[in-house]
Amino acid sequence: YTGITVITPQGPFTPPLSEVVVPVEGNVKQMGVAMNLWYDFNAGSKWRPYAGGGLMWVRVDQSDLSYDEQAFAQAVANSLGADPFPPGYVARVADTENVLGYHIGAGIGYEWSEKITVHAGYRRQTTRELSFKGSNANSEVESTTDLRVNFFEVGLRYRF
């Protein structure tokens, strides 16, 4: 978690990040839609270098992640020098975030036939900062992270 504000009777407190460490387990899922533009360079042979990229919308779902919420609340309390918080005192962060991003890539293809190209390439996907927020009457919690994915791909393309 990169940003935590806990509201107490004495007022809001923001503990230092280094003092709130709680292990997290599980899987994060991503689903997206992209608009792409790819260009095949005509090198005068059956080998065809290509490059391109696209803009995308991505939905990230971290609902499968789990962490000990009471240990998290205790870590926050410890960082504030406060008595232990009761269960549910520190809010849980949201499960999903929608974000815009882009990807770029390049590779090389081999024209197997007039319609089929075998290719190998690389793609890098990046989004703006993801921000998962949560709040209740006692606290506001925000977890921020970046999403960067590297793809190495081998495949077939069929030209219609």
Side-chain angles (χ1 to χ4, degrees), residues 54-137:
L55 297 175
M56 62 189 173
W57 166 84
V58 179
R59 179 178 179 85
V60 178
D61 180 350
Q62 63 176 18
S63 59
D64 287 343
L65 291 182
S66 64
Y67 62 92
D68 184 338
E69 293 181 41
Q70 192 55 35
F72 178 62
Q74 184 60 44
V76 172
N78 289 344
S79 71
L80 297 172
D83 291 331
F85 294 135
Y89 190 89
V90 175
R92 180 170 175 81
V93 297
D95 289 334
T96 60
E97 167 72 325
N98 297 300
V99 66
L100 295 175
Y102 69 92
H103 61 265
I104 57 173
I108 191 159
Y110 180 78
E111 281 190 353
W112 186 269
S113 69
E114 194 173 298
K115 298 276 187 185
I116 296 175
T117 301
V118 178
H119 70 95
Y122 167 80
R123 226 184 270 202
R124 178 173 173 94
Q125 174 183 314
T126 303
T127 67
R128 70 167 177 78
E129 185 176 76
L130 294 162
S131 177
F132 299 92
K133 298 178 182 179
S135 65
N136 62 21

Side-chain angles (χ1 to χ4, degrees), residues 31-53:
M31 176 185 72
V33 175
M35 290 180 15
N36 301 301
L37 180 62
W38 295 95
Y39 184 78
D40 286 333
F41 298 93
N42 187 346
S45 74
K46 289 187 173 261
W47 293 98
R48 296 283 176 116
Y50 66 89

